[in-house]
Amino acid sequence: AQKVTQAQTEISVVEKEDVTLDCVYETRDTTYYLFWYKQPPSGELVFLIRRNSFDEQNEISGRYSWNFQKSTSSFNFTITASQVVDSAVYFCALGPTQGGSEKLVFGKGTKLTVNP
Amino acid sequence: DTGVSQDPRHKITKRGQNVTFRCDPISEHNRLYWYRQTLGQGPEFLTYFQNEAQLEKSRLLSDRFSAERPKGSFSTLEIQRTEQGDSAMYLCASGLRLAAYNEQFFGPGTRLTVL
């Protein structure tokens, strides 16, 4: 069975601090995709990134960066110089490739609060 | 370019009543997904349509739940004889099958409260 674990339930930081959100996954699939979504208080899930299991290259997008390590089944998300607008619940998700189930399996989320 | 829309955004009902939610996907998206999110949890998959065909259903989708996508465009999710445990956010997503993955774009959700 597939599983995503986000061990950090809540994190609180002060603006401009760096923060890393952890994600550990379990799957028997040999190829799969990993995702991060942001859910602000409005409730809508906002797509942040998708990563193929074959691509372990780290990715940086502005203040966001992602570290994918297949050896430890982790896909961690770092926000550099956090801002108040980053306050939200962040979800890591796992999705099989074409030919498998269409569903995304989500972790329980990490609530990030960035204080001014 | 409009995103996924859901109606209503909020629904309060009494236990035992039936409720129906609507989801309008992004135009030309042939895939449509329903998820349920309870407080403090991540979204959980309920069901998925490819065009008008319902191809996958979760065990979470009890016989009180039914979803349809009659013309391959909008979808409805009906809950019969609602129970307090049905209180949750119901999220709809739509997507296209691309080369090797399925992008899922989520709507704002319908928050159901069963009294």
Side-chain angles (χ1 to χ4, degrees), chain B residues 2-63:
Chain B
T2 58
V4 178
S5 62
Q6 294 187 244
D7 184 69
R9 294 292 306 277
H10 303 273
K11 178 72 176 178
I12 299 175
T13 191
K14 293 182 179 179
R15 188 178 53 175
Q17 298 294 305
N18 299 341
V19 294
T20 300
F21 310 140
R22 177 180 170 124
C23 171
D24 286 90
I26 295 172
S27 59
E28 298 180 358
H29 277 188
N30 62 345
R31 282 160 165 76
L32 189 146
Y33 309 81
W34 285 99
Y35 289 81
R36 181 177 71 183
Q37 185 179 18
T38 53
L39 199 62
Q41 302 294 315
E44 295 174 291
F45 172 79
L46 292 178
T47 189
Y48 141 71
F49 291 85
Q50 180 178 325
N51 299 313
E52 65 276 8
Q54 189 173 19
L55 298 185
E56 191 174 354
K57 290 168 61 173
S58 162
R59 284 175 292 179
L60 292 175
L61 212 66
S62 75
D63 55 6

Side-chain angles (χ1 to χ4, degrees), chain A residues 28-107:
Chain A
R28 293 181 180 177
D29 290 345
T30 55
T31 55
Y32 47 89
Y33 282 85
L34 293 160
F35 304 80
W36 275 95
Y37 283 86
K38 175 182 180 179
Q39 188 173 44
S42 60
E44 187 165 348
L45 281 167
V46 178
F47 168 81
L48 295 178
I49 191 173
R50 172 191 61 251
R51 171 65 71 213
N52 183 311
S53 57
F54 288 122
D55 182 4
E56 292 194 62
Q57 196 169 21
N58 291 333
E59 183 160 339
I60 298 174
S61 176
R63 296 184 297 107
Y64 294 170
S65 63
W66 291 269
N67 181 287
F68 175 35
Q69 292 194 336
K70 209 168 178 179
S71 60
T72 57
S73 297
S74 65
F75 185 43
N76 297 336
F77 172 32
T78 297
I79 301 175
T80 303
S82 59
Q83 300 176 1
V84 173
V85 293
D86 295 328
S87 296
V89 181
Y90 290 86
F91 291 97
C92 180
L94 171 65
T97 60
Q98 193 168 5
S101 167
E102 294 275 333
K103 70 180 180 183
L104 293 179
V105 175
F106 286 83

Side-chain angles (χ1 to χ4, degrees), chain A residues 18-30:
Chain A
D18 299 348
V19 58
T20 295
L21 309 182
D22 297 333
C23 172
V24 174
Y25 63 92
E26 296 174 30
T27 181
R28 293 181 180 177
D29 290 345
T30 55

